[in-house]
Every structure is written in C-alpha cells, then in structure tokens.
C-alpha cells in the first residue's frame, strides 16, 4: 500500500512532468515512454500520460486520499501519503527533486534514499521498497516472460519484483513462447503492452528515440 491501487499508480505517473524534464534537463534528446516494448511492438492505444495534476488529485480522491493534515499532506485512514524512493545514481537527483516538489504540491511526500547499486538490488529482490529506480534496454526480440509471469511475483530476486499477477498476461506469455510466426508474435506483444499500460505496472519515464548498433566487419574477400 498505497501502490496496490491502480488509481494511485496512475496518479503518480500523471504527476511526473516528463516533457518539462526532457526539454529543460535532457536537451530534447529523449521522448516520453508510453510502451513497455516500443517500436513495432507498441500498442497504439496506450495512454500518453501527459502531466496532469488535476486529474491525479481526482484519482487520488477516488482512492480515498481526499483529506489533508496540518502540513497539507494527503491523508487516508489517519496516515499521510509518505513513501521512500530508492535510487543508486546521485546524478538522478537533478530530476528527482523536481518530481519530489511536484508530488509535494499535490500533498505527497517522497523521501529520497541514495544507496549503492548492490544495496538497491538486494532490497529490490527482497521486495523491501516502496518505489525503486530501474533501467532496461531491449533487443529486437523481447522476452517478457520472467518480468510479468504470475508464478514469479512472490519469488525473491525474480525479475517480477513488482509482484504483478494477471491471468490474461500468463495466457499471452504461454502463447508467445510457442509462436514462431513473427507477425503473430507482434500481435501478442501489443496486446500484452496494452494490459501492462492499463495496469500502470511502472511509472514510465523516457526513452531514446533511436537505437545504437555496433558491428565488426570481421570477414573480407580478395
């Protein structure tokens, strides 16, 4: 709690001003990330999740976060909305502090906890975190099974460290593992992408709108 409520997870996404960060801090080199797979595998119907504090507050109120304490923090069942964010890179603070301030304006307190990468992985694997910073890259043939399989949700140090469980996703993962037709595999991934986006499994940040490819012309001819 409180991130077991999809409305709270969506609100947290809507309070991250990605476009501002991209423009002011990242020299417009990135684009808002709205897909878990991207490229040809992205579901075109995924929400764009533009910065919208008013909609976020509405969702939080629907989830029971409608009153405030003397400090202006959102309160539910007598407890203020306070959580801890784990991150291993001090350079991230230049954007995390902006997000922290936008959350504060909405009545949410995010305490930043800088750890070593090893400590973060340990706590992440033991499910001892509220929010944690993760980054990933993806090849041309995504393998989402270990990330979203229900049987991995409660396994310590699995890739499904967010504890995501969804029966339809399990069915899609089964079908994906057995399908060798490329267009059909793409259809499966796009449906999977839509389900993940609707469930706000992660707070998606930004992505590079390009790929870096290295190759070695190892062989030649006379």
């Amino acid at each position: 709690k409180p991130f077991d409520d999809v409305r709270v997870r969506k609100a947290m996404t809507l309070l991250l001003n990605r476009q501002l960060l991209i423009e002011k801090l990242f020299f417009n080199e990135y684009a808002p990330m709205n897909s878990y797979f991207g490229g040809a595998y992205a579901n075109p119907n995924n929400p764009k999740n533009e910065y919208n504090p008013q909609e976020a507050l509405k969702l939080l109120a629907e989830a029971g976060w409608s009153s405030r304490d003397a400090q202006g923090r959102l309160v539910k069942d007598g407890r203020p909305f306070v959580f801890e964010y784990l991150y291993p890179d001090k350079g991230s603070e230049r954007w995390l502090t902006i997000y922290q301030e936008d959350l504060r304006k909405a009545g949410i307190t995010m305490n930043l906890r800088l750890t070593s990468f090893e400590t973060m992985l340990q706590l992440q694997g033991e499910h001892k975190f509220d929010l944690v910073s993760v980054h990933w890259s993806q090849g041309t043939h995504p393998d989402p099974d270990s990330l979203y399989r229900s049987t991995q949700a409660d396994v310590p140090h699995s890739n499904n460290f967010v504890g995501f469980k969804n029966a339809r996703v399990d069915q899609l993962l089964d079908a994906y593992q057995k399908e060798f037709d490329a267009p059909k595999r793409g259809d499966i991934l796009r449906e999977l992408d839509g389900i993940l986006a609707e469930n706000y499994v992660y707070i998606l940040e930004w992505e590079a709108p390009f790929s870096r490819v290295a190759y070695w012309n190892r062989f030649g001819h006379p």
Side-chain angles (χ1 to χ4, degrees), residues 70-115:
Q71 300 179 46
R73 299 177 299 182
L74 291 173
V75 174
K76 180 180 179 181
D77 299 329
R79 301 186 64 178
F81 197 147
V82 178
F83 71 93
E84 184 179 76
Y85 185 103
L86 293 178
Y87 64 104
D89 175 21
K90 189 171 179 61
S92 298
E93 292 175 2
R94 61 180 182 145
W95 72 265
L96 280 173
T97 51
I98 296 174
Y99 186 36
Q100 184 182 47
E101 178 62 16
D102 284 334
L103 290 173
R104 186 196 63 77
K105 292 175 181 177
I108 299 171
T109 298
M110 178 172 74
N111 294 319
L112 300 178
R113 181 181 174 187
L114 177 65
T115 71

Side-chain angles (χ1 to χ4, degrees), residues 8-179:
V8 173
R9 298 197 298 271
K10 181 177 180 179
M12 294 291 294
T13 298
L14 296 177
L15 288 168
L16 178 61
N17 195 341
R18 301 182 297 175
Q19 196 59 50
L20 174 70
L21 298 175
I22 290 169
E23 291 176 0
K24 301 299 183 181
L25 298 181
F26 307 141
F27 309 101
N28 287 308
E29 291 185 348
Y30 300 102
M33 187 177 184
N34 300 309
S35 167
Y36 288 73
F37 304 109
Y41 302 129
N43 189 313
N45 298 317
N46 284 357
K48 300 302 181 274
N49 296 316
E50 296 180 355
Y51 180 61
N52 192 332
Q54 291 74 30
E55 180 64 19
L57 287 172
K58 179 181 176 182
L59 288 166
L60 289 167
E62 291 175 1
W65 298 93
S66 54
S67 59
R68 295 178 183 264
D69 62 12
Q71 300 179 46
R73 299 177 299 182
L74 291 173
V75 174
K76 180 180 179 181
D77 299 329
R79 301 186 64 178
F81 197 147
V82 178
F83 71 93
E84 184 179 76
Y85 185 103
L86 293 178
Y87 64 104
D89 175 21
K90 189 171 179 61
S92 298
E93 292 175 2
R94 61 180 182 145
W95 72 265
L96 280 173
T97 51
I98 296 174
Y99 186 36
Q100 184 182 47
E101 178 62 16
D102 284 334
L103 290 173
R104 186 196 63 77
K105 292 175 181 177
I108 299 171
T109 298
M110 178 172 74
N111 294 319
L112 300 178
R113 181 181 174 187
L114 177 65
T115 71
S116 68
F117 185 70
E118 293 77 13
T119 297
M120 188 193 74
L121 286 182
Q122 183 68 28
L123 294 172
Q124 173 184 310
E126 295 174 353
H127 300 172
K128 296 178 180 178
F129 67 91
D130 298 325
L131 259 69
V132 62
S133 176
V134 296
H135 304 266
W136 74 89
S137 60
Q138 187 164 264
T140 56
H141 302 289
D143 184 11
D145 197 278
S146 66
L147 287 166
Y148 309 114
R149 176 76 68 176
S150 295
T151 55
Q152 296 296 307
D154 300 315
V155 177
H157 300 286
S158 77
N159 287 331
N160 187 357
F161 56 87
V162 297
F164 181 68
K165 299 178 182 179
N166 184 286
R168 177 55 182 162
V169 166
D170 289 338
Q171 293 175 351
L172 291 170
L173 293 173
D174 288 339
Y176 185 72
Q177 292 294 336
K178 300 173 183 177
E179 184 59 66

Side-chain angles (χ1 to χ4, degrees), residues 197-212:
E198 290 173 359
N199 280 275
Y200 289 86
V201 179
Y202 294 98
I203 299 174
L204 297 179
E205 296 171 359
W206 40 84
E207 61 184 345
F210 52 82
S211 297
R212 295 184 176 95

